[in-house]
Amino acid sequence: MVKKRMKNLGFQFDENSFNKLFPFYILIDSNLKIIGLGKSLSKTFPSIKLNDNFASTFEVKRPYIENSTTDGLKTIIDQLVVLGTTDDSVDLRGQFQEYKDSILFVGSPWFISMNQVIEKKLTFHDFAFHDPLLDLLHVLKTQEITTQELKELLDRINNQKKDLKRDQQELNRLSLVASANENGVVFTRPDGIIFWCNDAFLKLTGFSKEEIIGKTPVEVGKCEFTNKEDLNKMIDPFFKGETFDVELVHGRKDGSYFWTKTKGQPIMDSAGNVIQYFAMIEDVTEKKNADFKLIESEDRLSFLILNLQTGVILEDEDRRVLLVNKKFCSMFDFEEEPDLLIGMDYSNSVEDLKRFFKNPDLYVARLNSILKAKEPVYNEELELVDGRFFERSYIPIFRDGIYKGNLRSYVDITLKKNHQTLLQNEKEKYSSIIANMNLGLVEVDQNDCITLVNHSFSEISGYSMEELVGKNASDLFLTKESKEFVGTKNILRTQRVSDSYEIQIKNKTGENRHWLISGAPNYDINGKIVGSIGIHLDITEQKEQEEKIYLLSLIAEKNINAVVISDAQGNTEWVNSSFEKMSGYTKEELVGIKPGNLLQGKETNPETIRYLKDQISKGQPFNCEIVNYTKSGEKYWVKIQGQALYNKKGEIVRYFAIEENISNKKLLENQREELVARLAKTNKELEDYAQIVSHDLKSPLRSIHSLISWIKEDSDKAFSEQTLGYFSMIENKVEKMDHLIEGILTYSKIDKENLTLESVNTHQIIQSIIDIIHIPKHVTIAIKNTLPILMADRYRIQQLFQNIIGNAVNYIERDPGYVEIASEEYVDHYVISVKDNGVGIAKEHYEKVFKTFQSYTKSEHSTGLGLAIVKKIIEAYNGKIWIESELGEGSTFFVKLNK
């Protein structure tokens, strides 16, 4: 079917060729039936078959659409789309495209690690050659490993006391800066709660500090005029621990509002965890009002353009006419009124208008090149077949970095051109010499006003010749200090003295440049000084190169790591002091010798040596770890990074390398491996011990229980009711002891077992718990809303909620009793609550109930382990549990679990 449809497109693609380009495509008909699948997509999601319903199989995660209908999908065509599947954790990332009466999705899986690729049994050949995903994942994995190693190294060598003192000093400085800042400044905790703000923020919002502290920025600033999308641009990066920069409407206490530019960034600890958030709020209301006024100015400008004597046409990004004036129509013989051209597709106008120009093919090629480059072109001359000359200017229009169309103008310069031709014939003999000089030439009168410049000077100054002639040279280019210096040179010119000097100037764009100037007096035909003439050479690049060379030499010499530079044959030319200190050799002992001949020894890996030689011989960068030896024979590890240096001809002229002593790092790595092995052995022994103790304790308990049962069966009538009551108490205690042992075993195994991650429907889990546990007749359990689906271990989730719900049921004495279960979704987590009207918990017992063998009641149902097991399971998932309770009123347990 795909092959047949490809044929109709006019492309010569069969299904196999299309699969090579887009191996993860999906083709959907108008009834949302899947009629085509890429071979790699079928391999990644084997449960998805042809003729499956797209809406039942896939979910559009981004951008948001209400319903996954055909019309709904068409609204997000030509946008970045993220698709999720109903039974898989891997998303697809790509775009939709209309294809005849169907919709085509092309994209690729959004893997976040190489492990996911391996789990799906995908290989390099399952991806299109142009898909960079695998390369990016390799880079990410390498970066992750490197980052982890650096963190471990820093954790061991950092002095905590100095870090704390430095952090406190930095915080004090930040506090002083923030307090004095005219913009609003707030600090929040990672959960968004504001704990500090400056006086400027209070002034901006009208709130008091007491009204702000303890609330989130959203609670303080959100009002009816705040745009939800703008708000999400701040909230989403905040909870991801990222910086943000957003403009949005901020409410005031009195009900008014103002526009803000809000910039925020996280403050990290040494482990890279967000500990605080810092945000600066700038009032940009005036700027926004100016933007609105700009729109009004654009309307007025449109009126002026329509009446200009310059031909003007304005097109959008799709080459549709937005504006055209009468002059343009008359220049190109359009009989229609300009208004009739508005909205017309002008993409074919290049071919339609080429008949007017003397060289039509050149006109077509040049205009297509301009439209493709999307860069400004000014006053480009065009010759027409009827002898006229036009000047064309092209200005691309961008909004927020996105191309929105272009403005083209045409000026009839026929008269100007003819006049210029006459003048050109008169000046040709002299102006061609001046115009083609490689050096900038300037003539000024005795008042330092420019009378003549050549093209080269126009280029190095950034000004056109028209902008320069008649202007005062010193005012145009010089700073106050430079003016004083040039003033002394002008005095020399009046004394008929010529000389050369360097000076710093500012060109048209305000950029600082360095010029070398050779100046001399300028005479008239009578030998009278009428000004001066100067030859100018822009030496900025040379000055910058000198500065760079100086800085590089300082960096290399002062670097704490060893730096070595060798010639093209690998012989040492230069080393820094750190290299001398690390190796024990002096610079004089090293120069002229290959470093490896002195530094490598018996424990140096031959494979690493061969790798270095191979990379150097190919002129390629090298990066490795190797064992070296000092002059005294002491072994040390170094990490070497280096590469070849090339001249302008592409020839290798030198090699340089940076060497870092990583001996301590290697020692720490060995110690870490030994520690991990010992810990693994200890954990295994503890687990085995728990199993043995559990078996040995439970066996006699079962025997006691059986013996009591036999005694009661054999001599039931021989015992008094009191004695039988004692037997029942013994049985209950034995049963409680059995539950206690089972709880201890469960508690000890929670963080030692590998948790299976699967899609767990908590609604179904909790419903099954309600069905199996004993619920007294006076107690009712209700689920208030649909509970979420989590990626977790099904057994552990059942354990977690069975303990919480069972605990709630056991402590409800009033009639009627109830237990309500509900959930609430947040950006990156869910909060599930279990509320009851039981006996309640005193505030001083909130923490106690989660500890092992701790119970705040004397209930026979309590082992002191149930809620301890709950907390340990939640912590295994990096979640959180807390209580809100009042004695005699009931309790609510809140469970936060990440998505």
Side-chain angles (χ1 to χ4, degrees):
M1 180 180 291
V2 173
K3 181 175 181 181
K4 179 180 178 181
R5 293 178 180 273
M6 288 297 159
K7 184 176 181 182
N8 295 334
L9 278 175
F11 293 106
Q12 299 302 314
F13 287 142
D14 56 16
E15 185 172 3
N16 187 48
S17 298
F18 194 77
N19 260 312
K20 289 181 180 179
L21 289 173
F22 304 106
F24 296 92
Y25 78 87
I26 307 168
L27 190 60
I28 310 160
D29 68 10
S30 58
N31 296 318
L32 291 183
K33 184 185 292 183
I34 298 175
I35 58 174
L37 288 172
K39 63 177 183 180
S40 298
L41 188 137
S42 298
K43 184 176 179 180
T44 306
F45 307 106
S47 62
I48 300 173
K49 306 296 182 184
L50 290 177
N51 297 321
D52 284 354
N53 183 274
F54 174 82
S56 301
T57 308
F58 292 95
E59 172 195 0
V60 178
K61 290 187 173 180
R62 194 171 67 203
Y64 172 78
I65 59 175
E66 282 197 29
N67 297 303
S68 295
T69 61
T70 302
D71 291 338
L73 296 181
K74 287 182 179 179
T75 64
I76 57 173
I77 283 174
D78 291 335
Q79 296 186 44
L80 176 63
V81 177
V82 177
L83 295 181
T85 60
T86 56
D87 58 354
D88 201 293
S89 61
V90 176
D91 293 338
L92 292 173
R93 187 173 183 268
Q95 70 180 68
F96 285 108
Q97 186 66 42
E98 280 194 87
Y99 176 64
K100 295 190 176 179
D101 57 346
S102 303
I103 297 177
L104 176 66
F105 174 81
V106 290
S108 61
W110 197 351
F111 292 121
I112 60 174
S113 70
M114 285 301 297
N115 291 336
Q116 288 183 305
V117 178
I118 295 169
E119 287 173 1
K120 294 296 181 180
K121 299 182 180 178
L122 297 178
T123 67
F124 174 79
H125 300 290
D126 290 313
F127 294 83
F129 289 119
H130 60 77
D131 195 335
L133 180 61
L134 290 180
D135 293 333
L136 291 173
L137 289 174
H138 279 299
V139 170
L140 184 64
K141 186 65 176 179
T142 301
Q143 184 179 5
E144 178 183 337
I145 294 171
T146 303
T147 302
Q148 182 60 32
E149 290 176 348
L150 288 173
K151 285 182 178 178
E152 292 174 357
L153 181 60
L154 287 173
D155 286 341
R156 292 183 178 275
I157 64 175
N158 281 341
N159 187 308
Q160 294 181 351
K161 186 174 181 179
K162 290 182 179 180
D163 286 347
L164 182 61
K165 182 178 180 181
R166 185 182 67 248
D167 290 343
Q168 185 61 48
Q169 291 173 345
E170 183 65 18
L171 184 60
N172 291 339
R173 287 194 294 270
L174 283 174
S175 178
L176 288 173
V177 172
S179 296
N181 202 307
E182 64 181 5
N183 295 320
V185 177
V186 297
F187 281 85
T188 76
R189 299 200 303 259
D191 59 0
I193 299 299
I194 299 172
F195 66 88
W196 188 91
C197 67
N198 67 350
D199 292 338
F201 184 72
L202 302 178
K203 184 177 179 181
L204 281 173
T205 62
F207 290 100
S208 66
K209 186 163 293 187
E210 291 75 19
E211 293 172 318
I212 291 174
I213 303 302
K215 293 183 179 178
T216 67
V218 175
E219 292 173 337
V220 173
K222 185 178 179 182
C223 67
E224 60 178 314
F225 302 103
T226 305
N227 184 279
K228 185 177 181 181
E229 292 182 2
D230 293 340
L231 203 58
N232 288 334
K233 290 178 183 177
M234 178 178 72
I235 294 173
D236 291 345
F238 179 92
F239 284 106
K240 293 177 182 177
E242 299 171 353
T243 60
F244 58 84
D245 186 347
V246 62
E247 290 186 356
L248 49 77
V249 171
H250 195 294
R252 291 191 174 96
K253 182 178 180 180
D254 62 6
S256 63
Y257 67 92
F258 62 104
W259 277 93
T260 71
K261 183 177 181 64
T262 302
K263 295 182 179 180
Q265 67 178 51
I267 301 173
M268 309 285 192
D269 60 18
S270 59
N273 299 314
V274 177
I275 56 174
Q276 293 177 4
Y277 235 94
F278 164 82
M280 183 176 291
I281 299 91
E282 178 186 0
D283 187 345
V284 294
T285 305
E286 291 184 1
K287 173 182 173 298
K288 296 298 288 189
N289 290 337
D291 291 343
F292 298 143
K293 291 180 181 178
L294 180 61
I295 296 173
E296 298 177 359
S297 299
E298 289 175 350
D299 294 336
R300 290 194 293 271
L301 179 62
S302 175
F303 176 80
L304 292 174
I305 289 174
L306 290 173
N307 296 281
L308 278 176
Q309 291 306 303
T310 298
V312 175
I313 182 169
L314 179 65
E315 299 174 346
D316 67 13
E317 63 269 32
D318 298 318
R319 297 292 313 280
R320 293 190 179 277
V321 177
L322 298 175
L323 179 69
V324 63
N325 67 356
K326 290 182 179 180
K327 184 64 176 178
F328 179 90
C329 294
S330 66
M331 293 174 75
F332 292 101
D333 295 342
F334 286 107
E335 296 179 356
E336 298 89 349
E337 286 295 317
D339 290 343
L340 297 178
L341 298 177
I342 304 300
M344 179 184 294
D345 184 352
Y346 219 58
S347 55
N348 294 323
S349 66
V350 179
E351 292 292 330
D352 296 336
L353 297 179
K354 71 179 183 181
R355 58 189 172 86
F356 288 95
F357 298 93
K358 185 173 182 180
N359 191 333
D361 292 335
L362 179 61
Y363 166 81
V364 171
R366 175 57 181 155
L367 185 53
N368 285 334
S369 173
I370 291 172
L371 292 171
K372 183 178 180 180
K374 297 181 177 64
E375 294 180 353
V377 176
Y378 300 104
N379 305 325
E380 191 173 72
E381 190 173 289
L382 305 171
E383 185 176 359
L384 281 71
V385 293
D386 60 5
R388 289 183 296 165
F389 287 86
F390 289 171
E391 268 188 0
R392 176 180 61 203
S393 295
Y394 166 87
I395 301 174
I397 299 172
F398 291 88
R399 184 176 297 165
D400 297 330
I402 300 173
Y403 178 71
K404 291 296 183 181
N406 70 85
L407 176 71
R408 298 200 304 279
S409 66
Y410 295 83
V411 180
D412 190 335
I413 59 166
T414 306
L415 292 176
K416 175 183 174 183
K417 181 69 176 178
N418 293 335
H419 182 64
Q420 287 177 341
T421 302
L422 293 174
L423 291 176
Q424 185 67 23
N425 292 334
E426 294 291 328
K427 297 181 179 180
E428 185 175 357
K429 181 171 59 176
Y430 302 105
S431 62
S432 61
I433 297 173
I434 296 173
N436 292 296
M437 288 179 64
N438 290 326
L439 301 174
L441 181 144
V442 179
E443 289 186 9
V444 297
D445 61 20
Q446 289 185 310
N447 295 318
D448 206 24
C449 289
I450 299 172
T451 58
L452 176 69
V453 297
N454 69 348
H455 181 69
S456 295
F457 185 84
S458 180
E459 285 187 337
I460 66 174
S461 68
Y463 292 95
S464 67
M465 294 182 182
E466 291 77 8
E467 292 174 315
L468 290 166
V469 174
K471 300 295 191 304
N472 185 282
S474 296
D475 293 340
L476 207 58
F477 297 108
L478 303 182
T479 63
K480 182 179 179 180
E481 294 77 11
S482 299
K483 284 181 180 179
E484 295 176 357
F485 176 74
V486 172
T488 62
K489 297 297 180 181
N490 290 336
I491 294 174
L492 291 177
R493 303 294 171 262
T494 63
Q495 299 170 357
R496 301 177 181 268
V497 176
S498 302
D499 68 350
S500 298
Y501 54 90
E502 292 182 12
I503 195 168
Q504 187 180 54
I505 62 94
K506 286 186 180 292
N507 63 12
K508 182 178 179 179
T509 62
E511 181 184 5
N512 289 322
R513 307 292 293 180
H514 292 273
W515 285 354
L516 174 63
I517 302 176
S518 293
N522 195 17
Y523 306 92
D524 63 14
I525 57 175
N526 298 316
K528 180 181 177 182
I529 295 177
V530 293
S532 62
I533 185 169
I535 303 297
H536 299 68
L537 175 64
D538 192 325
I539 59 171
T540 305
E541 283 71 25
Q542 292 91 321
K543 297 289 286 186
E544 289 176 349
Q545 192 66 24
E546 291 174 4
E547 183 68 19
K548 287 178 182 178
I549 292 172
Y550 175 71
L551 289 175
L552 286 173
S553 65
L554 283 179
I555 292 170
E557 178 58 36
K558 303 301 181 182
N559 202 309
I560 61 172
N561 293 321
V563 180
V564 57
I565 299 176
S566 63
D567 59 23
Q569 288 71 44
N571 297 315
T572 304
E573 286 189 342
W574 182 87
V575 298
N576 66 351
S577 57
S578 296
F579 193 99
E580 293 179 299
K581 183 178 180 180
M582 183 188 296
S583 66
Y585 291 96
T586 64
K587 190 179 299 183
E588 291 72 19
E589 293 173 311
L590 291 163
V591 171
I593 298 175
K594 290 182 170 61
N597 294 344
L598 287 177
L599 303 177
Q600 293 162 6
K602 60 181 180 179
E603 293 188 35
T604 305
N605 192 329
E607 288 294 327
T608 307
I609 296 174
R610 280 193 290 273
Y611 161 78
L612 285 171
K613 289 181 178 179
D614 184 56
Q615 293 296 102
I616 291 172
S617 66
K618 295 176 182 177
Q620 296 180 348
F622 47 89
N623 187 341
C624 63
E625 296 178 354
I626 192 170
V627 171
N628 280 347
Y629 291 85
T630 65
K631 182 177 181 180
S632 62
E634 183 181 352
K635 182 180 78 172
Y636 65 98
W637 277 91
V638 292
K639 180 176 182 180
I640 303 177
Q641 293 177 298
Q643 65 181 54
L645 301 175
Y646 296 84
N647 60 20
K648 293 183 178 180
K649 298 179 181 179
E651 302 167 335
I652 296 176
V653 293
R654 287 178 178 79
Y655 293 92
F656 87 93
I658 297 175
E659 300 185 4
E660 178 188 0
N661 191 328
I662 59 171
S663 300
N664 290 335
K665 174 189 169 186
K666 284 292 184 180
L667 177 62
L668 292 174
E669 286 177 353
N670 293 335
Q671 292 175 347
R672 182 188 62 191
E673 290 173 1
E674 292 175 2
L675 179 59
V676 169
R678 288 199 300 270
L679 286 173
K681 181 180 177 183
T682 301
N683 283 337
K684 183 63 172 64
E685 290 173 350
L686 287 172
E687 187 176 348
D688 292 343
Y689 177 74
Q691 293 282 2
I692 293 169
V693 169
S694 173
H695 178 271
D696 290 349
L697 287 176
K698 291 177 75 172
S699 180
L701 287 176
R702 284 193 290 269
S703 298
I704 293 170
H705 192 278
S706 298
L707 286 171
I708 292 173
S709 298
W710 294 340
I711 292 171
K712 288 173 66 177
E713 290 174 3
D714 293 343
S715 306
D716 185 22
K717 297 180 180 179
F719 296 117
S720 65
E721 289 185 7
Q722 185 177 17
T723 304
L724 290 173
Y726 291 153
F727 279 131
S728 296
M729 289 176 61
I730 294 172
E731 287 179 318
N732 289 336
K733 297 300 181 182
V734 168
E735 185 177 351
K736 183 174 180 179
M737 180 64 75
D738 184 67
H739 291 327
L740 182 60
I741 294 168
E742 188 65 35
I744 293 171
L745 184 60
T746 299
Y747 185 83
S748 68
K749 291 167 66 177
I750 285 174
D751 56 358
K752 295 182 175 60
E753 294 179 348
N754 293 325
L755 299 180
T756 302
L757 289 181
E758 57 183 314
S759 183
V760 178
N761 189 321
T762 56
H763 197 100
Q764 293 178 356
I765 291 286
I766 290 176
Q767 188 61 57
S768 67
I769 291 171
I770 295 171
D771 294 338
I772 63 174
I773 67 173
H774 172 69
I775 302 174
K777 292 181 179 180
H778 70 283
V779 175
T780 301
I781 300 181
I783 301 177
K784 304 299 289 183
N785 58 351
T786 302
L787 304 180
I789 295 175
L790 303 172
M791 292 303 298
D793 183 285
R794 183 179 299 275
Y795 172 71
R796 292 300 181 207
I797 293 300
Q798 178 162 345
Q799 240 183 343
L800 189 160
F801 286 107
Q802 187 165 331
N803 273 295
I804 295 178
I805 296 170
N807 196 68
V809 169
N810 288 338
Y811 293 107
I812 296 176
E813 296 176 354
R814 68 177 64 185
D815 187 1
Y818 67 84
V819 177
E820 291 182 354
I821 302 163
S823 73
E824 189 171 353
E825 182 177 2
Y826 294 88
V827 175
D828 57 356
H829 66 275
Y830 297 99
V831 174
I832 300 175
S833 61
V834 179
K835 180 180 180 181
D836 65 63
N837 63 342
V839 296
I841 303 171
K843 190 171 184 178
E844 60 268 22
H845 296 312
Y846 283 4
E847 293 299 324
K848 177 182 177 182
V849 297
F850 293 113
K851 295 181 180 179
T852 55
F853 306 115
Q854 295 290 318
S855 177
Y856 67 96
T857 71
K858 298 181 180 181
S859 172
E860 62 180 15
H861 301 290
S862 176
T863 63
L865 284 172
L867 291 179
I869 291 172
V870 166
K871 185 173 184 181
K872 198 167 186 183
I873 292 172
I874 291 172
E875 289 175 346
Y877 286 107
N878 296 318
K880 182 180 178 182
I881 184 169
W882 67 95
I883 305 170
E884 290 181 3
S885 181
E886 194 173 331
L887 275 176
E889 298 297 329
S891 305
T892 303
F893 285 76
F894 295 92
V895 176
K896 173 187 172 185
L897 293 171
N898 297 324
K899 290 186 176 179

